[in-house]
Amino acid sequence: MKNVQIPYELFMLMLRYHLVEDDDCLNEIRQGLEQKLDSLVRHELYEKYKTAPTQEEREKARQEYLERRGVPNSFRW
């Protein structure tokens, strides 16, 4: 089972939302979780790029990783 770390501020916002039932921080929680999810997806793509069994799969994962990172086509090799 994998563990995921989140920033302390996000954790406190989640506690406030669930324990104190404060709905004011819902948008901040949503943004923080979306950022974390994007980070996890980028990490998995990078890992796949480095460990894929075929050159074709590595290149596909590399291109998708660079797209997610926002690297322009003119800057890629």
Side-chain angles (χ1 to χ4, degrees):
M1 183 174 220
K2 292 185 176 183
N3 294 324
V4 176
Q5 293 183 355
I6 60 172
Y8 178 79
E9 294 81 19
L10 179 58
F11 178 71
M12 293 306 291
L13 286 171
M14 292 172 72
L15 284 177
R16 205 168 91 196
Y17 175 74
H18 287 288
L19 298 179
V20 183
E21 298 179 4
D22 181 8
D23 293 339
D24 294 336
C25 54
L26 191 56
N27 286 332
E28 293 170 323
I29 292 172
R30 184 173 287 121
Q31 287 177 341
L33 290 175
E34 286 174 357
Q35 288 174 351
K36 186 62 181 181
L37 180 60
D38 287 343
S39 174
L40 290 170
V41 169
R42 284 193 312 266
H43 178 76
E44 286 182 14
L45 285 171
Y46 183 78
E47 183 179 330
K48 186 175 181 182
Y49 155 57
K50 289 296 190 178
T51 61
T54 66
Q55 182 66 29
E56 183 179 294
E57 290 178 35
R58 277 188 292 247
E59 184 60 25
K60 183 179 177 187
R62 184 179 80 85
Q63 291 297 329
E64 192 172 347
Y65 171 76
L66 293 173
E67 284 291 323
R68 290 231 180 225
R69 294 290 298 175
V71 176
N73 286 334
S74 61
F75 195 69
R76 299 179 191 182
W77 65 94

